[in-house]
Amino acid sequence: MQRTKIATLLDSETPYEQVLIKGWVRTKRDSKDFSFIEINDGSSLANMQVIATNQLPNYADIKRAITGSALSVTGKMVTSPGKGQKWEIQAEHIDIVSLAPETFPLQKKRHTDEFLRTIAHLRPRTNKYGAVFRIRSELAYAIHRFFKEKSFRYIHTPIITSSDCEGAGELFRISTLDFNNLPKKADKIDNTQDFFGRETYLTVSGQLSAEMFALALGDVYTFGPTFRAENSNTSRHVAEFWMIEPEMAFCDLHANMAFAEEMVKYLAGHIMQECETDLNLFARFVDKSLMPTLENIVSSDYLQLPYHEAIDILVTSGQSFEFKVAYGKDLQSEHERYLTEIHFKKPVFIYDYPKSIKPFYMRLNDDNETVAAMDLLMPRVGEIIGGSQREERLAVLQARMQEVGLNQEEYWWYLDSRRFGSVPHSGFGMGFERFLMMLTGVSNIRDVIPFPRSPASIDF
Ligand code: 4AD
Ligand code: MG
């Protein structure tokens, strides 16, 4: 007989005559002649209740199958007379796949997120983390579906790179050189002897490659892992995270913002529809205001605010911020939250940032002072999207590269795209984990990624 997923059984309107389920014991209650066993197979938040009676030949062994043990159960699915579940299974046969000892760390009690981070290999077996990772999976699928519906092409941009797209110097070096015996030339490390014959890194963004493909295929996106050696141990930064990066030819900054808004609403709406049960767990136990927040995200018109106006609002807000607000400085998390949670009470795009705090590729505005950049700020999580219209004018781009000290020879291929058939184009990057934080109300980014990587932390 084929195994049926518990999610499928629980959704069923009619009982199955015979079923086979396989999963792990969440809880077991024994009385003299029978046991109630709650089995979870990861397919849904809900467990399947199994009734095992002392008529089963291995009943004595079944009684030893405590929390964490793995069972294979065949039996009859019947309407449950008990509260809390529609169906239950009257076991006719139970195979003990493996018995867990009492030392299994996930006994039936609440554990802190901090503790669960120390057992990241086991935490997906809890209700909360099972829900996180089911939603994560559904979101990845929804992203591809959204872009497919919009006729975008999916581009696999490289992970190994020789350029620092963002110019922030947060690069992880990769190398095959012998670190205990580095080849030297004129007292410096001789990178020509390294695998690629030069310094190479893990990518911080697929954007520069995506741009090349937008100028060929029109509308493209890349969705993959990105890496930042950012030494900030915050609740919103990890060293390895996933980014969704659309890039659109013949698209200006305002169309870029409109598209980002449409994408965010589509994805949030999709998850609200497809992951209702899992989302309810977060609304009950993690963030009581989650549902109204999500409703607001899918239904409100996002505000679009020039950077200098955002600074004015913050300066005159009368709030005492830890970090000083000033024109020409980046917004800190506390400023982002003030704007989205207190002042406007909805998602806000900030655009036209001073060029001094943004990367070289952003399009220079006519004021010669700001660039066509945009960030989307969300209540509680702050920045989830960073994007821009790209500088399509060769001479302006070259001047800007000179200004920030980039070697134009190394970017010859990037500059070529502005030499041959250059067009206005735009795109953005959305942090996949930041978006998941927003969807679930989970406040630490380490808790929405299977095995988080952050400074001095790489167990698992
Ligand atoms: O704003 P960022 O740095 O933009 C870029 O990398 C552009 N090249 C994207 C583009 O235009 N194609 O990063 C984009 C988003 C941020 O808004 C944030 O959501 C997320 O990536 N992000 C991080 N998420 C987790 N941990 C980190 N260390 C992150 N750094 C950025
Ligand atoms: Mg950014």
Side-chain angles (χ1 to χ4, degrees):
M1 196 178 5
Q2 271 224 325
R3 156 173 99 99
T4 310
K5 299 256 166 102
I6 289 174
T8 310
L9 297 177
L10 293 173
D11 276 349
S12 176
E13 291 299 321
T14 48
Y16 286 47
E17 188 54 35
Q18 272 284 307
V19 288
L20 168 62
I21 62 165
K22 298 184 184 200
W24 293 268
V25 176
R26 279 294 172 81
T27 58
K28 185 163 63 65
R29 280 178 294 132
D30 299 317
S31 61
K32 200 163 132 275
D33 302 327
F34 56 90
S35 303
F36 289 111
I37 314 172
E38 293 284 332
I39 295 199
N40 191 288
D41 67 0
S43 61
S44 73
L45 183 64
N47 305 321
M48 178 59 89
Q49 177 164 287
V50 171
I51 320 286
T53 69
N54 62 5
Q55 300 303 300
L56 294 165
N58 58 344
Y59 186 61
D61 290 336
I62 293 165
K63 278 189 142 173
R64 290 165 48 223
I66 56 171
T67 303
S69 302
L71 300 181
S72 170
V73 179
T74 39
K76 196 173 169 183
M77 186 169 146
V78 297
T79 306
S80 175
K83 275 214 204 91
Q85 66 274 323
K86 187 159 125 201
W87 305 115
E88 63 187 28
I89 292 175
Q90 288 170 349
E92 284 156 9
H93 187 87
I94 297 185
D95 269 338
I96 296 167
V97 182
S98 70
L99 288 178
E102 270 162 21
T103 50
F104 179 58
L106 296 173
Q107 298 300 329
K108 195 183 160 71
K109 70 171 192 128
R110 281 270 201 109
H111 299 284
T112 65
D113 293 322
E114 288 73 19
F115 168 71
L116 291 171
R117 246 170 258 152
T118 68
I119 51 165
H121 58 306
L122 297 176
R123 67 180 179 168
R125 297 195 204 178
T126 63
N127 283 345
K128 178 172 166 185
Y129 288 89
V132 165
F133 294 111
R134 276 188 297 272
I135 293 174
R136 187 177 166 114
S137 168
E138 189 60 37
L139 181 63
Y141 164 74
I143 285 161
H144 290 300
R145 194 173 103 154
F146 173 74
F147 285 115
K148 172 80 182 154
E149 281 175 15
K150 293 274 172 192
S151 302
F152 277 57
R153 304 295 177 181
Y154 177 29
I155 310 297
H156 299 104
T157 54
I159 286 171
I160 300 174
T161 178
S162 60
S163 52
D164 178 4
C165 173
E166 294 304 293
E170 294 163 343
L171 298 158
F172 283 104
R173 265 299 273 286
I174 61 163
S175 172
T176 52
L177 292 178
D178 178 358
F179 283 16
N180 293 315
N181 185 19
L182 289 166
K184 295 269 173 72
K185 200 167 155 188
D187 260 7
K188 286 202 168 128
I189 296 168
D190 182 9
N191 292 307
T192 63
Q193 293 192 39
D194 207 341
F195 190 90
F196 294 102
R198 59 194 287 192
E199 275 188 43
T200 41
Y201 318 97
L202 293 176
T203 190
V204 295
S205 158
Q207 178 196 323
L208 303 187
S209 316
E211 280 187 56
M212 302 305 106
F213 276 76
L215 296 184
L217 304 187
D219 293 332
V220 301
Y221 71 107
T222 170
F223 176 25
T226 48
F227 307 86
R228 296 197 184 178
E230 212 156 7
N231 211 355
S232 50
N233 238 323
T234 79
S235 59
R236 304 180 317 142
H237 293 88
V238 272
E240 177 178 315
F241 61 100
W242 283 59
M243 217 201 290
I244 300 103
E245 297 183 271
E247 192 69 35
M248 296 159 282
F250 307 104
C251 176
D252 68 9
L253 185 72
H254 284 272
N256 196 21
M257 287 193 273
F259 183 76
E261 179 171 338
E262 188 183 348
M263 181 180 94
V264 166
K265 287 176 169 170
Y266 176 98
L267 297 176
H270 177 95
I271 296 298
M272 288 170 80
Q273 202 172 348
E274 297 297 319
C275 303
E276 203 188 334
T277 315
D278 284 328
L279 272 188
N280 279 334
L281 176 143
F282 297 98
R284 280 183 64 198
F285 298 115
V286 175
D287 175 4
K288 296 266 184 257
S289 63
L290 183 65
M291 287 312 175
T293 304
L294 293 180
E295 296 290 349
N296 181 266
I297 286 166
V298 292
S299 62
S300 62
D301 286 327
Y302 299 1
L303 198 91
Q304 299 186 357
L305 188 73
Y307 168 87
H308 74 88
E309 285 183 31
I311 296 296
D312 288 346
I313 290 170
L314 290 166
V315 165
T316 56
S317 68
Q319 298 280 311
S320 55
F321 294 117
E322 187 188 337
F323 293 92
K324 199 170 162 322
V325 183
Y327 187 91
K329 282 193 169 178
D330 235 337
L331 297 185
Q332 299 292 325
S333 165
E334 54 176 344
H335 309 137
E336 296 172 348
R337 296 187 60 166
Y338 174 78
L339 290 171
T340 53
E341 287 168 33
I342 298 168
H343 195 83
F344 293 111
K345 296 190 168 58
K346 62 173 170 176
V348 181
F349 283 103
I350 311 283
Y351 67 97
D352 287 350
Y353 283 76
K355 64 177 179 182
S356 56
I357 54 172
K358 289 292 181 186
F360 77 97
Y361 54 73
M362 294 188 177
R363 192 177 196 280
L364 189 64
N365 287 324
D366 292 344
D367 59 13
N368 268 320
E369 173 54 40
T370 60
V371 286
M374 63 92 160
D375 278 1
L376 175 58
L377 314 183
M378 287 303 198
R380 282 172 320 185
V381 267
E383 179 194 333
I384 59 161
I385 284 179
S388 62
Q389 183 169 341
R390 321 307 189 187
E391 183 56 76
E392 86 283 12
R393 298 160 298 182
L394 180 63
V396 183
L397 181 61
Q398 285 174 318
R400 182 82 182 116
M401 289 176 81
Q402 182 130 37
E403 207 172 81
V404 300
L406 279 180
N407 181 348
Q408 291 182 38
E409 272 162 33
E410 279 179 20
Y411 287 86
W412 64 273
W413 54 275
Y414 189 73
L415 291 167
D416 256 7
S417 66
R418 274 61 171 173
R419 283 190 186 101
F420 310 126
S422 187
V423 301
H425 61 287
S426 300
F428 59 84
M430 183 172 86
F432 187 59
E433 287 78 15
R434 296 259 178 104
F435 197 82
L436 277 166
M437 292 170 74
M438 181 198 90
L439 284 176
T440 56
V442 167
S443 58
N444 195 314
I445 194 165
R446 291 168 185 75
D447 298 337
V448 294
I449 189 162
F451 296 109
R453 272 85 179 87
S454 47
S457 153
I458 190 152
D459 292 342
F460 315 106

